Amino acid sequence: MRSILFAVAALAMVAGSAAAQVAAPTMNPVPAFTAVPGNPAVLSWDKPSRIGAFYANATLADGTGAEIGTGHFTAVQAQAVGEYFAAGVVGAKLDVDIDPIAQPVVGGPKVVQRFSTVVGAVKPTDWVSAGISRETDRREINGEVASRVTTGGLTLRFGGVFYLGAVMGKDTIETSLLPNQDAKRDLMRYGAGIRWENASGGVHLEAFKENRDGALLPFAVDQSSVGGGTLEVRFARVGLSFTTHDRTDINQNNGVVSLKQKIESLHLFFATQGGVAFSIGQTRLNASQGGPNKATFNSVGAAYLF
């Protein structure tokens, strides 16, 4: 069961982020449930300013496909992007109810997670942007677990089309089960991609990687690696956004793989340079820790661009 809880928590942890790509911003202007690692510096390129929200229903299943839980995820997002400065904020909540008969859970059948992030970025020239972010994740899973991630990022843009991005940060974890103790992981993300867009359409292709290393509490793993990519195309005002990435967690003490998961997201969006934008989509997670577990999130979102 722990694999399901941590898989869902990891997915929700970065969903709807105001900095949802590592090298270049997503073309989808609506907050979306993708779980793509973020870089605060990309916010400088993500015009126009906007406010938005999305809702996703969740279905959890075991390796046979039998349903073992349901839930929902809600989030709100706001960002202001100017010529030289940008700022954004996201608040989200995940509620999951696990069937106590199909899948007994120590500490109760309900999982609650609250997530928030604050992002700031500066763009002194047309080819470089730097940013910082603070992410907080609180999970009520058999005792509250809190994760605070502080990052600093940089992106470079060449010819208005080619992007390189890098992020460094610290992931601090604490739990009420072990009071007065915390643990830290070093975090690094990097990515490269192309992003071209005008009124008639556009394309965004990007590959990214994330690594987290360091000593953790006994309940957690020591090393986490995420790698994947994004492909987005837009024709006039309608676009498709596809992301895929794999995550592997390894215990450094014994070298055992404690979690393997694959996350894929597909969203259809209607974009404008001003006014209302919409998005619908689905995110699927397949995880294994002694056996495969699955989660499906169907989402809908809207944003006002100005």
Side-chain angles (χ1 to χ4, degrees):
M1 182 62 216
R2 188 176 68 176
S3 62
I4 290 180
L5 300 184
F6 277 99
V8 173
L11 178 60
M13 188 172 163
V14 290
S17 171
Q21 300 290 335
V22 178
T26 175
M27 296 179 70
N28 186 355
V30 181
F33 201 67
T34 61
V36 174
N39 180 351
V42 305
L43 191 61
S44 294
W45 317 116
D46 196 17
K47 291 184 178 181
S49 301
R50 73 202 61 165
I51 56 174
F54 79 89
Y55 172 87
N57 60 34
T59 302
L60 276 64
D62 62 17
T64 68
E67 183 178 301
I68 60 173
T70 59
H72 60 272
F73 190 94
T74 54
V76 293
Q77 175 188 16
Q79 65 185 57
V81 183
E83 186 65 27
Y84 301 105
F85 301 97
V89 61
V90 175
K93 183 181 179 183
L94 170 70
D95 288 279
V96 175
D97 293 298
I98 308 297
D99 187 333
I101 298 178
Q103 184 71 65
V105 182
V106 177
K110 191 171 184 65
V111 178
V112 178
Q113 181 182 19
R114 294 175 176 85
F115 170 81
S116 64
T117 184
V118 178
V119 179
V122 57
K123 180 172 66 69
T125 72
D126 286 336
W127 61 273
V128 62
S129 173
I132 58 174
S133 69
R134 173 79 169 190
E135 304 169 3
T136 302
D137 170 31
R138 294 189 176 276
R139 316 169 196 170
E140 298 173 14
I141 306 173
N142 190 26
E144 184 176 273
V145 178
S147 172
R148 298 182 302 277
V149 180
T150 303
T151 63
L154 182 73
T155 61
L156 303 176
R157 182 170 67 174
F158 305 97
V161 176
F162 301 98
Y163 292 81
L164 295 175
V167 179
M168 296 184 66
K170 187 74 70 173
D171 180 7
T172 302
I173 300 175
E174 61 184 23
T175 173
S176 59
L177 298 177
L178 297 172
N180 303 318
Q181 296 188 44
D182 59 14
K184 293 178 173 61
R185 285 191 294 185
D186 294 320
L187 177 152
M188 187 168 186
R189 299 169 183 156
Y190 45 93
I194 59 172
R195 188 181 190 274
W196 167 83
E197 188 174 24
N198 60 24
S200 62
V203 63
H204 173 209
L205 179 64
E206 181 174 331
F208 52 82
K209 181 77 172 178
E210 176 188 279
N211 292 306
R212 302 192 189 202
D213 297 286
L216 289 182
L217 296 171
F219 69 86
V221 298
D222 292 273
Q223 187 179 61
S224 177
S225 177
V226 176
T230 296
L231 173 61
E232 298 177 308
V233 293
R234 180 175 64 81
F235 301 97
R237 295 183 177 182
V238 180
L240 280 173
S241 176
F242 174 74
T243 65
T244 178
H245 63 278
D246 298 287
R247 172 180 170 178
T248 301
D249 290 356
I250 299 176
N251 189 309
Q252 289 181 333
N253 294 326
N254 53 28
V256 174
V257 175
S258 56
L259 176 64
K260 288 183 68 69
Q261 65 181 18
K262 185 177 186 66
I263 301 173
E264 295 181 326
S265 296
L266 180 64
H267 288 82
L268 173 69
F269 60 89
F270 176 82
T272 65
Q273 289 299 311
V276 180
F278 302 94
S279 176
I280 59 172
Q282 183 179 87
T283 298
R284 293 184 177 183
L285 178 149
N286 288 277
S288 62
Q289 183 184 356
N293 300 306
K294 301 178 180 180
T296 301
F297 296 82
N298 297 301
S299 62
V300 58
Y304 181 76
L305 285 61
F306 56 92

